[in-house]
Short mmCIF file of all heavy atoms in Angstrom, two decimals:
data_model
loop_
_atom_site.label_atom_id
_atom_site.label_comp_id
_atom_site.label_asym_id
_atom_site.label_seq_id
_atom_site.Cartn_x
_atom_site.Cartn_y
_atom_site.Cartn_z
N SER A 387 -4.65 -39.34 -12.66
CA SER A 387 -5.57 -40.01 -11.79
C SER A 387 -5.87 -39.21 -10.52
O SER A 387 -6.74 -39.57 -9.73
CB SER A 387 -4.94 -41.37 -11.37
OG SER A 387 -3.77 -41.20 -10.71
N ILE A 391 -5.92 -32.47 -9.78
CA ILE A 391 -5.34 -32.12 -11.08
C ILE A 391 -6.47 -32.08 -12.11
O ILE A 391 -6.56 -31.12 -12.94
CB ILE A 391 -4.21 -32.99 -11.45
CG1 ILE A 391 -3.01 -32.71 -10.53
CG2 ILE A 391 -3.82 -32.77 -12.95
CD1 ILE A 391 -1.84 -33.66 -10.68
N ASN A 394 -8.85 -29.05 -11.56
CA ASN A 394 -8.25 -27.79 -12.03
C ASN A 394 -8.13 -27.71 -13.53
O ASN A 394 -8.30 -26.69 -14.10
CB ASN A 394 -6.91 -27.52 -11.35
CG ASN A 394 -7.06 -27.13 -9.89
OD1 ASN A 394 -7.97 -26.38 -9.56
ND2 ASN A 394 -6.23 -27.64 -9.02
N ALA A 395 -7.83 -28.85 -14.15
CA ALA A 395 -7.72 -28.92 -15.60
C ALA A 395 -9.06 -28.58 -16.24
O ALA A 395 -9.22 -27.89 -17.20
CB ALA A 395 -7.21 -30.29 -16.09
N LEU A 397 -11.64 -26.95 -14.82
CA LEU A 397 -11.97 -25.51 -14.60
C LEU A 397 -11.22 -24.65 -15.65
O LEU A 397 -11.78 -23.77 -16.26
CB LEU A 397 -11.56 -25.10 -13.19
CG LEU A 397 -12.56 -25.37 -12.14
CD1 LEU A 397 -11.95 -24.94 -10.73
CD2 LEU A 397 -13.87 -24.66 -12.31
N ARG A 403 -13.39 -20.80 -22.53
CA ARG A 403 -14.57 -20.61 -23.42
C ARG A 403 -14.17 -21.02 -24.86
O ARG A 403 -14.65 -20.44 -25.80
CB ARG A 403 -15.18 -19.25 -23.34
CG ARG A 403 -15.53 -18.73 -21.95
CD ARG A 403 -16.83 -19.08 -21.57
NE ARG A 403 -17.87 -18.58 -22.51
CZ ARG A 403 -19.09 -18.81 -22.45
NH1 ARG A 403 -19.58 -19.57 -21.46
NH2 ARG A 403 -19.98 -18.44 -23.33
N ALA A 407 -12.12 -27.13 -25.28
CA ALA A 407 -12.47 -27.57 -23.96
C ALA A 407 -13.60 -28.61 -23.98
O ALA A 407 -13.78 -29.40 -23.06
CB ALA A 407 -12.88 -26.42 -23.05
N PRO A 409 -14.19 -31.57 -25.55
CA PRO A 409 -13.95 -33.02 -25.29
C PRO A 409 -13.67 -33.32 -23.85
O PRO A 409 -14.12 -34.38 -23.32
CB PRO A 409 -12.72 -33.32 -26.17
CG PRO A 409 -12.76 -32.27 -27.30
CD PRO A 409 -13.36 -31.00 -26.62
N ASN A 419 -16.33 -40.24 -11.53
CA ASN A 419 -16.18 -39.49 -10.32
C ASN A 419 -17.37 -38.44 -10.23
O ASN A 419 -17.48 -37.58 -11.08
CB ASN A 419 -14.82 -38.76 -10.31
CG ASN A 419 -14.60 -38.01 -9.07
OD1 ASN A 419 -15.18 -36.92 -8.83
ND2 ASN A 419 -13.76 -38.55 -8.15
N SER A 420 -18.12 -38.56 -9.21
CA SER A 420 -19.36 -37.74 -9.07
C SER A 420 -19.00 -36.24 -8.93
O SER A 420 -19.73 -35.43 -9.43
CB SER A 420 -20.19 -38.18 -7.91
OG SER A 420 -19.51 -38.11 -6.67
N MET A 421 -17.93 -35.94 -8.25
CA MET A 421 -17.55 -34.51 -8.06
C MET A 421 -17.22 -33.87 -9.38
O MET A 421 -17.64 -32.82 -9.76
CB MET A 421 -16.36 -34.36 -7.08
CG MET A 421 -16.06 -32.95 -6.85
SD MET A 421 -14.71 -32.68 -5.67
CE MET A 421 -13.31 -33.34 -6.65
N SER A 424 -20.33 -33.61 -11.69
CA SER A 424 -21.13 -32.56 -11.25
C SER A 424 -20.56 -31.21 -11.76
O SER A 424 -21.25 -30.33 -12.30
CB SER A 424 -21.30 -32.56 -9.73
OG SER A 424 -21.98 -31.40 -9.30
N ALA A 426 -18.52 -30.78 -14.25
CA ALA A 426 -18.57 -30.75 -15.75
C ALA A 426 -19.93 -30.34 -16.19
O ALA A 426 -20.08 -29.53 -17.16
CB ALA A 426 -18.15 -32.08 -16.29
N LYS A 428 -22.16 -28.57 -14.59
CA LYS A 428 -22.34 -27.15 -14.24
C LYS A 428 -21.58 -26.28 -15.26
O LYS A 428 -22.16 -25.28 -15.78
CB LYS A 428 -21.84 -26.85 -12.85
CG LYS A 428 -22.16 -25.52 -12.34
CD LYS A 428 -23.62 -25.37 -12.12
CE LYS A 428 -23.95 -24.16 -11.30
NZ LYS A 428 -25.32 -23.89 -11.15
N LEU A 429 -20.35 -26.58 -15.59
CA LEU A 429 -19.58 -25.81 -16.55
C LEU A 429 -20.15 -25.92 -17.90
O LEU A 429 -20.07 -24.98 -18.70
CB LEU A 429 -18.11 -26.25 -16.49
CG LEU A 429 -17.36 -26.01 -15.21
CD1 LEU A 429 -15.99 -26.67 -15.26
CD2 LEU A 429 -17.22 -24.48 -14.98
N ALA A 430 -20.73 -27.04 -18.26
CA ALA A 430 -21.24 -27.26 -19.64
C ALA A 430 -22.38 -26.34 -19.92
O ALA A 430 -22.69 -26.03 -21.10
CB ALA A 430 -21.69 -28.71 -19.81
N PRO A 437 -23.43 -30.32 -29.76
CA PRO A 437 -23.05 -31.65 -29.19
C PRO A 437 -23.11 -31.69 -27.72
O PRO A 437 -23.45 -32.69 -27.13
CB PRO A 437 -21.64 -31.82 -29.78
CG PRO A 437 -21.59 -30.93 -30.96
CD PRO A 437 -22.42 -29.76 -30.63
N LEU A 438 -22.59 -30.63 -27.05
CA LEU A 438 -22.57 -30.58 -25.65
C LEU A 438 -24.02 -30.54 -25.03
O LEU A 438 -24.34 -31.19 -24.06
CB LEU A 438 -21.78 -29.42 -25.14
CG LEU A 438 -21.39 -29.43 -23.67
CD1 LEU A 438 -20.72 -30.67 -23.24
CD2 LEU A 438 -20.42 -28.22 -23.40
N HIS A 440 -26.67 -31.82 -26.44
CA HIS A 440 -27.18 -33.16 -26.62
C HIS A 440 -26.70 -34.11 -25.49
O HIS A 440 -27.44 -34.93 -24.99
CB HIS A 440 -26.82 -33.75 -27.95
CG HIS A 440 -27.65 -33.11 -29.07
ND1 HIS A 440 -28.96 -33.48 -29.35
CD2 HIS A 440 -27.26 -32.17 -29.96
CE1 HIS A 440 -29.41 -32.71 -30.38
NE2 HIS A 440 -28.42 -31.95 -30.74
N LEU A 442 -25.73 -33.23 -22.51
CA LEU A 442 -26.42 -32.84 -21.26
C LEU A 442 -27.80 -33.35 -21.18
O LEU A 442 -28.30 -33.74 -20.17
CB LEU A 442 -26.33 -31.29 -21.11
CG LEU A 442 -25.03 -30.72 -20.73
CD1 LEU A 442 -25.09 -29.20 -20.79
CD2 LEU A 442 -24.65 -31.14 -19.32
N GLU A 452 -33.83 -35.49 -11.08
CA GLU A 452 -32.97 -34.28 -11.20
C GLU A 452 -32.94 -33.75 -12.60
O GLU A 452 -32.57 -32.65 -12.86
CB GLU A 452 -31.58 -34.50 -10.69
CG GLU A 452 -31.52 -34.86 -9.21
CD GLU A 452 -32.06 -33.74 -8.36
OE1 GLU A 452 -31.69 -32.58 -8.61
OE2 GLU A 452 -32.79 -34.06 -7.40
N GLY A 453 -33.41 -34.52 -13.59
CA GLY A 453 -33.34 -34.17 -14.99
C GLY A 453 -33.96 -32.85 -15.33
O GLY A 453 -33.32 -32.04 -15.95
N PRO A 454 -35.18 -32.51 -14.90
CA PRO A 454 -35.79 -31.31 -15.26
C PRO A 454 -34.96 -30.06 -14.80
O PRO A 454 -34.95 -29.11 -15.48
CB PRO A 454 -37.13 -31.36 -14.59
CG PRO A 454 -37.45 -32.78 -14.49
CD PRO A 454 -36.08 -33.42 -14.23
N ILE A 456 -31.66 -29.86 -14.52
CA ILE A 456 -30.52 -29.72 -15.42
C ILE A 456 -31.04 -29.21 -16.78
O ILE A 456 -30.43 -28.32 -17.36
CB ILE A 456 -29.82 -31.07 -15.58
CG1 ILE A 456 -29.13 -31.47 -14.19
CG2 ILE A 456 -28.73 -30.99 -16.62
CD1 ILE A 456 -28.63 -32.86 -14.17
N GLN A 462 -31.74 -22.15 -19.93
CA GLN A 462 -31.52 -20.76 -19.45
C GLN A 462 -30.11 -20.27 -19.70
O GLN A 462 -29.81 -19.14 -19.59
CB GLN A 462 -31.77 -20.73 -17.98
CG GLN A 462 -33.19 -21.10 -17.58
CD GLN A 462 -34.18 -20.10 -18.20
OE1 GLN A 462 -33.96 -18.92 -18.26
NE2 GLN A 462 -35.29 -20.60 -18.72
N SER A 463 -29.13 -21.18 -20.15
CA SER A 463 -27.79 -20.73 -20.28
C SER A 463 -27.70 -19.93 -21.65
O SER A 463 -28.27 -20.21 -22.62
CB SER A 463 -26.85 -21.94 -20.40
OG SER A 463 -27.14 -22.73 -21.45
#
Side-chain angles (χ1 to χ4, degrees):
S387 62
I391 291 173
N394 286 320
L397 278 176
R403 307 271 305 173
N419 184 285
S420 61
M421 182 180 70
S424 176
K428 189 69 166 174
L429 293 171
L438 192 52
H440 287 282
L442 285 173
E452 296 298 317
I456 295 169
Q462 297 300 317
S463 64

